[in-house]
Amino acid sequence: MWAAMGCVLNSVLSVTLKRILNHERPAPALRSDPGMPSSHAQSISYAATFAFLSLVQWLGINAVTVTIGVFVLISASYMSYLRVSQKFHTVSQVLVGAALGSLCACAWFWLWRSFVLKAFISSIWVRLVVILGSATFCLAFLIYVVQHWLDDEP
């Protein structure tokens, strides 16, 4: 739930930055919204980085985690590159999105490990707040996405 809530916050950051920066996409006819940063690259990088950090935390650094990490990095890079090859984004838009997603994942993971986990383990009330807060936050985001998805339907 904590990782999912971080993913939602990462998406909110991406949408907010798109509105602030208002950077045009390479082929504006394909999509009319701003392209900086690439929200797909940002989300992919967040998920890949958080998954890798979780794996290393669980298993430590060894041949398995390094192999999986390299595979995840290559896969995330390829999926992000597809946004450029399909002319939805420029290279800089994808690189900024990927960097922001990775930074958000590192910060969110660090916040969990440094502060929240200790309180989560020691207090039932903190567990309830984190779980219910995360679930509520994710549900609200899902409702928001579905509403806007339905608004875009012809």
Side-chain angles (χ1 to χ4, degrees), residues 129-152:
V129 168
V130 168
I131 291 169
L132 292 176
S134 297
T136 301
F137 199 78
C138 292
L139 181 62
F141 183 72
L142 179 64
I143 291 168
Y144 171 83
V145 168
V146 169
Q147 284 178 333
H148 282 76
W149 178 41
L150 293 176
D151 288 345
D152 290 341

Side-chain angles (χ1 to χ4, degrees), residues 4 7 20-21 23 25 49 54 64 67 82 85 88 90 102-103 114 119 132 138 148 152:
C7 188
I20 292 170
L21 299 174
H23 193 267
R25 290 176 181 267
T49 303
S54 298
V64 172
T67 303
L82 290 175
S85 71
F88 287 114
T90 63
S102 293
L103 283 171
S114 297
L132 292 176
C138 292
H148 282 76
D152 290 341

Side-chain angles (χ1 to χ4, degrees), residues 7-20 37 42 100-101 104:
C7 188
V8 170
L9 289 173
N10 183 57
S11 295
V12 169
L13 174 64
S14 179
V15 170
T16 303
L17 287 174
K18 279 180 184 273
R19 289 183 182 150
I20 292 170
Q42 191 169 339
L100 284 172
C104 285

Side-chain angles (χ1 to χ4, degrees), residues 76-88:
S77 297
Y78 176 71
M79 287 188 280
S80 296
Y81 165 76
L82 290 175
R83 303 301 293 171
V84 175
S85 71
Q86 298 299 311
K87 299 192 182 342
F88 287 114

Side-chain angles (χ1 to χ4, degrees), residues 61-140:
I61 295 182
N62 56 46
V64 172
T65 56
V66 170
T67 303
I68 292 171
V70 168
F71 176 75
V72 166
L73 178 63
I74 290 170
S75 298
S77 297
Y78 176 71
M79 287 188 280
S80 296
Y81 165 76
L82 290 175
R83 303 301 293 171
V84 175
S85 71
Q86 298 299 311
K87 299 192 182 342
F88 287 114
H89 292 285
T90 63
V91 171
S92 62
Q93 291 169 345
V94 167
L95 289 175
V96 168
L100 284 172
S102 293
L103 283 171
C104 285
C106 288
W108 201 244
F109 188 83
W110 173 80
L111 186 63
W112 172 259
R113 297 292 306 163
S114 297
F115 300 104
V116 180
L117 180 60
K118 294 171 189 166
F120 188 84
I121 291 170
S122 66
S123 171
I124 186 72
W125 294 109
V126 172
R127 279 182 244 161
L128 287 171
V129 168
V130 168
I131 291 169
L132 292 176
S134 297
T136 301
F137 199 78
C138 292
L139 181 62

